[in-house]
Short mmCIF file of all heavy atoms in Angstrom, two decimals:
data_model
loop_
_atom_site.label_atom_id
_atom_site.label_comp_id
_atom_site.label_asym_id
_atom_site.label_seq_id
_atom_site.Cartn_x
_atom_site.Cartn_y
_atom_site.Cartn_z
N GLU A 65 -3.96 9.64 23.60
CA GLU A 65 -4.46 8.82 22.50
C GLU A 65 -3.31 8.30 21.65
O GLU A 65 -3.25 7.11 21.32
CB GLU A 65 -5.44 9.60 21.63
CG GLU A 65 -5.96 8.78 20.46
CD GLU A 65 -6.85 9.54 19.50
OE1 GLU A 65 -6.97 10.77 19.62
OE2 GLU A 65 -7.43 8.89 18.61
N LEU A 66 -2.40 9.18 21.27
CA LEU A 66 -1.27 8.76 20.44
C LEU A 66 -0.42 7.71 21.16
O LEU A 66 -0.04 6.69 20.58
CB LEU A 66 -0.41 9.97 20.07
CG LEU A 66 0.75 9.69 19.13
CD1 LEU A 66 0.29 9.03 17.83
CD2 LEU A 66 1.50 10.98 18.82
N ALA A 67 -0.17 7.92 22.45
CA ALA A 67 0.60 6.91 23.22
C ALA A 67 -0.13 5.57 23.26
O ALA A 67 0.49 4.51 23.16
CB ALA A 67 0.84 7.43 24.64
N GLY A 68 -1.46 5.62 23.40
CA GLY A 68 -2.23 4.37 23.41
C GLY A 68 -2.13 3.63 22.10
O GLY A 68 -1.91 2.40 22.08
N TYR A 69 -2.28 4.35 21.00
CA TYR A 69 -2.15 3.69 19.69
C TYR A 69 -0.76 3.11 19.49
O TYR A 69 -0.60 1.99 19.03
CB TYR A 69 -2.48 4.67 18.56
CG TYR A 69 -3.94 4.76 18.21
CD1 TYR A 69 -4.58 5.98 18.18
CD2 TYR A 69 -4.68 3.62 17.92
CE1 TYR A 69 -5.93 6.07 17.85
CE2 TYR A 69 -6.03 3.70 17.61
CZ TYR A 69 -6.65 4.92 17.56
OH TYR A 69 -7.98 5.01 17.24
N LEU A 70 0.28 3.89 19.85
CA LEU A 70 1.64 3.41 19.63
C LEU A 70 1.95 2.22 20.54
O LEU A 70 2.72 1.33 20.14
CB LEU A 70 2.64 4.54 19.84
CG LEU A 70 2.58 5.65 18.79
CD1 LEU A 70 3.58 6.75 19.11
CD2 LEU A 70 2.80 5.11 17.38
N THR A 71 1.36 2.17 21.71
CA THR A 71 1.55 1.02 22.60
C THR A 71 1.05 -0.27 21.94
O THR A 71 1.64 -1.34 22.10
CB THR A 71 0.82 1.24 23.94
OG1 THR A 71 1.39 2.38 24.58
CG2 THR A 71 0.94 0.04 24.86
N THR A 72 -0.03 -0.16 21.20
CA THR A 72 -0.58 -1.31 20.50
C THR A 72 0.15 -1.57 19.18
O THR A 72 0.49 -2.71 18.87
CB THR A 72 -2.08 -1.10 20.22
OG1 THR A 72 -2.76 -0.94 21.44
CG2 THR A 72 -2.68 -2.26 19.45
N ILE A 73 0.37 -0.53 18.41
CA ILE A 73 0.84 -0.68 17.04
C ILE A 73 2.32 -1.07 16.95
O ILE A 73 2.68 -1.94 16.15
CB ILE A 73 0.58 0.61 16.24
CG1 ILE A 73 -0.94 0.79 16.05
CG2 ILE A 73 1.29 0.60 14.90
CD1 ILE A 73 -1.34 2.13 15.50
N LEU A 74 3.19 -0.46 17.75
CA LEU A 74 4.62 -0.72 17.62
C LEU A 74 4.97 -2.20 17.81
O LEU A 74 5.68 -2.77 16.96
CB LEU A 74 5.43 0.16 18.56
CG LEU A 74 5.45 1.65 18.19
CD1 LEU A 74 6.21 2.45 19.26
CD2 LEU A 74 6.05 1.87 16.82
N PRO A 75 4.48 -2.85 18.86
CA PRO A 75 4.80 -4.29 18.99
C PRO A 75 4.21 -5.12 17.84
O PRO A 75 4.81 -6.12 17.42
CB PRO A 75 4.18 -4.69 20.32
CG PRO A 75 3.99 -3.43 21.06
CD PRO A 75 3.77 -2.37 20.05
N LEU A 76 3.04 -4.71 17.34
CA LEU A 76 2.44 -5.46 16.24
C LEU A 76 3.29 -5.35 14.98
O LEU A 76 3.56 -6.36 14.31
CB LEU A 76 1.03 -4.95 15.95
CG LEU A 76 -0.03 -5.23 17.01
CD1 LEU A 76 -1.34 -4.56 16.65
CD2 LEU A 76 -0.24 -6.72 17.18
N VAL A 77 3.73 -4.16 14.66
CA VAL A 77 4.50 -3.95 13.43
C VAL A 77 5.86 -4.61 13.50
O VAL A 77 6.29 -5.25 12.54
CB VAL A 77 4.65 -2.43 13.15
CG1 VAL A 77 5.65 -2.16 12.03
CG2 VAL A 77 3.30 -1.81 12.78
N PHE A 78 6.51 -4.48 14.65
CA PHE A 78 7.90 -4.93 14.71
C PHE A 78 8.10 -6.33 15.30
O PHE A 78 9.13 -6.93 15.09
CB PHE A 78 8.73 -3.92 15.50
CG PHE A 78 8.82 -2.60 14.82
CD1 PHE A 78 8.19 -1.48 15.31
CD2 PHE A 78 9.53 -2.47 13.63
CE1 PHE A 78 8.28 -0.26 14.67
CE2 PHE A 78 9.62 -1.25 12.97
CZ PHE A 78 8.97 -0.15 13.49
N LEU A 79 7.10 -6.85 16.02
CA LEU A 79 7.31 -8.15 16.66
C LEU A 79 6.23 -9.18 16.39
O LEU A 79 6.52 -10.35 16.12
CB LEU A 79 7.43 -7.97 18.19
CG LEU A 79 8.51 -7.01 18.69
CD1 LEU A 79 8.39 -6.79 20.18
CD2 LEU A 79 9.89 -7.57 18.34
N ALA A 80 4.98 -8.78 16.48
CA ALA A 80 3.90 -9.78 16.58
C ALA A 80 3.17 -10.12 15.30
O ALA A 80 2.46 -11.12 15.25
CB ALA A 80 2.89 -9.32 17.62
N ALA A 81 3.24 -9.30 14.26
CA ALA A 81 2.44 -9.54 13.06
C ALA A 81 2.58 -10.97 12.54
O ALA A 81 1.57 -11.63 12.29
CB ALA A 81 2.78 -8.53 11.98
N PRO A 82 3.79 -11.49 12.37
CA PRO A 82 3.88 -12.87 11.86
C PRO A 82 3.36 -13.90 12.86
O PRO A 82 2.79 -14.91 12.45
CB PRO A 82 5.38 -13.07 11.64
CG PRO A 82 6.03 -11.74 11.76
CD PRO A 82 5.08 -10.86 12.51
#
Side-chain angles (χ1 to χ4, degrees):
E65 179 185 9
L66 184 56
Y69 273 127
L70 292 178
T71 298
T72 300
I73 292 170
L74 290 176
L76 291 175
V77 169
F78 295 110
L79 303 172

